[in-house]
């Protein structure tokens, strides 16, 4: 998919990736999320996610969360920038528990894209769906639009889009993506159109 989209684009490297995301972001929210998840799946041999679910995620969830936090931290620095492994306290009905996390100190992807919908629709939602459906693990990505950091919380079930605070953000003033909104209201392309559109 990415090679098909990028064949007519001029830039290479990271700038080329951002240009591909600009093209992708002109599609519907659902299509952006679907295509982004396909890109994630294409990074692995087809047998790996189902085997991981069966061998690790099911019988050894705590080990699986720790392993995936470690791999995410190492493998994704090229995309997101410096990361650090950390632990996150998660509130549950039965009390508080500590789970593995990855803190992206300042997300290069979010900063370069300059668009909340690019963050939510081509990273956050498809990554959460990939881990849940394909790897058999819960993970929640918690972007901070003030300082451009992002906290991955392994072992925390992602909330539905309508309850996720990341989906209620205003458009960034520097956003130049197609269908971008304005500072007065919620970004219209984050996890679905804004009300009244």
């Amino acid at each position: 998919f990415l090679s098909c989209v990028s064949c007519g684009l001029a830039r290479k490297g990271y700038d080329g990736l951002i240009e591909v995301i600009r093209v992708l972001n002109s599609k519907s929210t659902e299509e952006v999320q679907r295509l982004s998840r396909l890109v994630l799946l294409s990074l692995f041999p087809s047998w790996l996610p189902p085997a991981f679910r069966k061998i690790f995620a099911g019988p050894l969830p705590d080990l699986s969360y720790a392993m995936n936090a470690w791999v995410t931290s190492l493998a994704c620095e090229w995309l997101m920038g410096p990361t650090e492994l950390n632990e996150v306290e998660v509130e549950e009905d039965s009390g508080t528990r500590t789970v593995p996390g990855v803190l992206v100190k300042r997300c290069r992807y979010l900063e370069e894209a300059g668009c909340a919908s690019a963050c939510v629709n081509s990273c956050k939602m498809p990554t959460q769906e990939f881990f849940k459906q394909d790897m058999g693990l819960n993970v929640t990505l918690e972007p901070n639009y003030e300082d451009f950091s992002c906290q991955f919380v392994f072992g925390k079930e992602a909330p539905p889009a309508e309850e996720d605070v990341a989906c209620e953000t205003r458009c960034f003033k520097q956003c130049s993506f197609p269908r971008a909104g304005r500072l007065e209201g919620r970004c219209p392309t984050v996890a679905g159109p804004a009300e009244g559109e």
Side-chain angles (χ1 to χ4, degrees):
F1 164 75
L2 283 179
S3 61
C4 180
V5 169
S6 62
C7 63
L9 302 177
R11 297 179 181 172
K12 294 184 178 181
Y14 207 86
D15 288 342
L17 171 66
I18 297 302
E19 192 172 354
V20 168
I21 297 306
R22 287 185 185 280
V23 171
L24 183 63
N25 209 50
S26 66
K27 300 181 178 297
S28 72
T29 297
E30 295 77 16
E31 187 70 354
V32 173
Q33 292 180 17
R34 185 185 73 78
L35 291 171
S36 297
R37 182 173 166 207
L38 287 177
V39 169
L40 286 170
L41 280 168
S42 75
L43 300 175
F44 301 92
S46 60
W47 57 266
L48 182 61
F52 184 89
R53 273 196 324 265
K54 186 173 184 179
I55 297 169
F56 290 103
L60 303 166
D62 291 339
L63 174 63
S64 298
Y65 290 129
M67 283 183 355
N68 277 272
W70 181 75
V71 170
T72 298
S73 179
L74 287 178
C76 294
E77 282 202 347
W78 71 271
L79 176 65
M80 301 179 297
T83 64
E84 68 179 38
L85 291 171
N86 62 1
E87 293 183 337
V88 183
E89 289 193 353
V90 175
E91 295 288 334
E92 297 179 335
D93 293 339
S94 57
T96 303
R97 69 183 175 108
T98 302
V99 297
V102 174
L103 176 64
V104 180
K105 297 176 183 178
R106 187 172 180 92
C107 182
R108 177 184 181 197
Y109 182 80
L110 174 58
E111 189 168 18
E112 292 285 329
C115 178
S117 72
C119 166
V120 170
N121 295 325
S122 66
C123 182
K124 175 181 164 58
M125 294 300 188
T127 299
Q128 292 173 170
E129 188 72 6
F130 165 76
F131 274 106
K132 177 79 170 177
Q133 299 301 324
D134 302 303
M135 301 293 280
L137 299 172
N138 287 319
V139 67
T140 300
L141 277 64
E142 299 175 345
N144 181 324
Y145 297 124
E146 298 297 321
D147 64 8
F148 288 176
S149 66
C150 185
Q151 178 68 60
F152 284 59
V153 185
F154 288 89
K156 179 180 178 182
E157 187 169 1
E162 59 272 13
E163 297 174 17
D164 196 324
V165 295
C167 296
E168 290 300 320
T169 187
R170 295 169 177 256
C171 262
F172 299 167
K173 64 182 171 186
Q174 73 268 31
C175 183
S176 61
F177 272 53
R179 302 185 302 131
R182 298 290 172 260
L183 283 173
E184 306 87 62
R186 177 172 79 83
C187 178
T189 58
V190 173
E195 289 182 21
E197 295 204 3

